[in-house]
Amino acid sequence: MNLCSKDHCSACGACVSICPKNAIKYEKDEYGYEYPVIDSSLCIDCGLCVKSCHILNQVERNTPKKAYAAWSNDPVDRATSTSGGVASVFYQKMLDNNGVCYGAAYDENLNVVIEGYSDNRVTEFKNSKYVHSNMTNAYAKIKENLVKDRQVIFIGLPCQVAALRTYLKKEYENLVLVDIICHGTPPQDYLKNHIDTLEQKYRKKADIVRFRNDNEFYFTLSRKGENKPFVSVHKDIDTYLLSFFESLTYYEACYNCKYACGERVSDITIGDFWGLGLEIPFNHPYTGAISLVLVNNKKGLDFFEGVKDKVFFEERPVSEAIKGNAQLNTPSKRNRHRDDFLKLVKNNSFDSSVKSIYSEHIKKHKPIVMKNHIKRKIRIFAKKILGR
């Protein structure tokens, strides 16, 4: 039995989950990326792994019917969300219907895994997580809930949504699928290595990791109960965020992603509304993050109708949403230093490998970042004094 090639595998875990003999396990390659590998001594050639693979099978796509600029009406929800808080509204809608919510959360070791909650733990799904998430254990649990006729919402990456659909092999009326617009995903190894390096440097153990803060991209580490993070580094000088936004560290499949296009595999697509106002003015005095909501089919339309009283929304041209968001047009471009990075990270730490490539960039941007950081602190202080 042959799985899809590594160059196209998103490590979604559907094949690992569906194997009746546990013959498929993740194995880490020499660069830190994990891929499924079949133990031929256990394989019975049932073909379920191939049938569940979203790369080896076609998944139906939908052309978005509506596009909205939106944000949660709850100011606390908005303040604790990295976009406009629409995902939180979706989760709450499902909880109100006694449903189960699935999304990405950190475990006790700060690994990102797909979990399912039917209580206020859904707040753990908040905030962007720029790393590969392990979904393997979620497939069977989602199916179990669906078979029991429970309402289920899954919010994940497009490849994960596609994988769930090929795993389930049928449509469920009680399942709402929401995909998040995605640049690409680095392996967990790189994030873990970066966190370990910073924890050793500052001699503190992190409980919380964030990639965005106050609508700006800062890598922060903090401890529960403490008011301030002990690490807060801007994306232009933080090795993890810099390499992420430079498309240096993604799984190879991300550079060939067949879901980075205008047609979507989900009921609803969400993300930041980049390019808002490109076609027609957006006349609302709001400076926070704004969610893009693409409604892709009738199920998505019906679901969004049920939350409109919980959000501000304005319909926008679908063309504006697609035009303004690169990942709705084409996959992220493979970084020209990618091969050099792989050679380095094979025998060196993640941080030192990125620094070897971007040392001049980091040196150039350090004074700029520090200057802007001081200006930002002054603005925040002024707002507090003025009570705004």
Side-chain angles (χ1 to χ4, degrees):
M1 199 59 59
N2 294 316
L3 302 174
C4 74
S5 68
K6 285 175 62 174
D7 284 355
H8 293 92
C9 178
S10 64
C12 67
C15 60
V16 179
S17 179
I18 207 166
C19 180
K21 295 296 181 179
N22 294 317
I24 308 177
K25 305 289 184 186
Y26 276 121
E27 287 187 8
K28 196 178 295 182
D29 71 8
E30 56 194 330
Y31 309 113
Y33 296 85
E34 289 191 315
Y35 292 100
V37 176
I38 298 176
D39 183 341
S40 58
S41 67
L42 297 175
C43 178
I44 58 172
D45 291 325
C46 66
L48 287 175
C49 56
V50 171
K51 291 175 183 176
S52 69
C53 178
H54 69 96
I55 296 298
L56 299 178
N57 295 275
Q58 289 297 318
V59 181
E60 182 185 352
R61 305 185 197 185
N62 300 291
T63 300
K65 297 179 180 297
K66 301 277 187 180
Y68 297 96
W71 58 76
S72 170
N73 286 334
D74 183 339
V76 175
D77 192 16
R78 288 200 306 273
T80 55
S81 300
T82 46
S83 190
V86 165
S88 297
V89 174
F90 289 176
Y91 282 133
Q92 189 58 53
K93 171 68 174 176
M94 191 58 65
L95 292 182
D96 291 343
N97 291 336
N98 296 314
V100 186
C101 304
Y102 284 84
Y106 292 101
D107 67 12
E108 64 276 7
N109 298 313
L110 294 181
N111 296 309
V112 181
V113 295
I114 301 299
E115 293 284 3
Y117 299 134
S118 55
D119 53 34
N120 61 9
R121 286 178 295 172
V122 296
T123 56
E124 294 178 20
F125 300 151
K126 280 177 175 283
N127 299 300
S128 302
K129 299 173 179 71
Y130 299 144
V131 68
H132 183 266
S133 53
N134 190 324
M135 188 174 169
T136 306
N137 294 328
Y139 290 100
K141 295 175 182 176
I142 291 173
K143 185 173 182 178
E144 182 181 347
N145 280 304
L146 292 171
V147 170
K148 290 179 179 177
D149 286 330
R150 293 198 71 177
Q151 295 290 316
V152 175
I153 186 170
F154 172 70
I155 301 182
L157 304 182
C159 57
Q160 293 174 327
V161 169
L164 180 56
R165 292 181 64 185
T166 49
Y167 176 92
L168 294 172
K169 297 181 179 62
K170 60 172 282 189
E171 297 296 319
Y172 287 85
E173 283 303 311
N174 50 328
L175 172 64
V176 177
L177 293 170
V178 181
D179 77 291
I180 302 168
I181 300 169
C182 175
H183 290 261
T185 57
Q188 301 248 7
D189 239 30
Y190 294 171
L191 177 60
K192 192 64 179 170
N193 188 288
H194 188 50
I195 291 171
D196 288 345
T197 299
L198 292 169
E199 286 178 335
Q200 291 174 24
K201 178 179 179 179
Y202 290 93
R203 298 182 181 179
K204 281 191 173 186
K205 197 73 177 171
D207 298 315
I208 302 168
V209 57
R210 295 281 186 268
F211 302 100
R212 294 172 69 167
N213 185 27
D214 292 334
N215 206 28
E216 295 188 56
F217 296 99
Y218 277 81
F219 186 90
T220 64
L221 295 177
S222 56
R223 293 180 59 83
K224 292 176 182 175
E226 295 185 359
N227 293 327
K228 293 183 179 180
F230 64 88
V231 172
S232 181
V233 189
H234 189 267
K235 68 178 180 67
D236 280 324
I237 58 176
D238 174 73
T239 53
Y240 189 86
L241 281 181
L242 175 59
S243 61
F244 176 85
F245 284 109
E246 289 290 316
S247 305
L248 180 69
T249 53
Y250 306 155
Y251 269 79
E252 202 65 41
C254 299
Y255 305 112
N256 306 301
C257 178
K258 63 181 183 178
Y259 309 114
C261 60
E263 293 184 320
R264 312 308 297 165
V265 293
S266 62
D267 303 311
I268 296 174
T269 297
I270 59 174
D272 291 290
F273 206 135
W274 306 121
L276 180 61
L278 283 176
E279 293 197 3
I280 57 176
F282 185 70
N283 297 318
H284 298 279
Y286 178 71
T287 58
I290 297 174
S291 294
L292 164 64
V293 179
L294 289 176
V295 182
N296 304 322
N297 56 25
K298 185 179 184 305
K299 185 189 286 186
L301 284 169
D302 291 342
F303 186 80
F304 191 67
E305 282 293 327
V307 302
K308 281 185 174 180
D309 61 328
K310 304 296 183 184
V311 296
F312 164 89
F313 65 94
E314 178 177 284
E315 186 170 352
R316 306 292 298 181
V318 171
S319 57
E320 178 184 58
I322 293 176
K323 190 183 299 181
N325 200 308
Q327 273 60 49
L328 294 177
N329 293 276
T330 185
S332 294
K333 187 176 179 181
R334 195 176 190 271
N335 189 295
R336 63 190 178 91
H337 299 297
R338 167 79 172 176
D339 291 334
D340 293 331
F341 168 76
L342 292 177
K343 289 176 185 177
L344 287 165
V345 83
K346 183 177 177 180
N347 299 306
N348 301 280
S349 72
F350 165 78
D351 282 280
S352 64
S353 300
V354 176
K355 285 178 181 176
S356 294
I357 293 170
Y358 283 105
S359 58
E360 288 303 314
H361 177 100
I362 293 171
K363 186 188 298 183
K364 176 183 175 181
H365 282 83
K366 264 190 177 179
I368 300 171
V369 168
M370 291 306 298
K371 184 178 179 180
N372 290 337
H373 178 72
I374 293 169
K375 287 182 178 178
R376 181 168 171 265
K377 288 291 186 184
I378 292 172
R379 286 198 304 270
I380 293 171
F381 180 74
K383 283 183 180 179
K384 287 181 179 179
I385 293 295
L386 296 171
R388 295 178 182 174

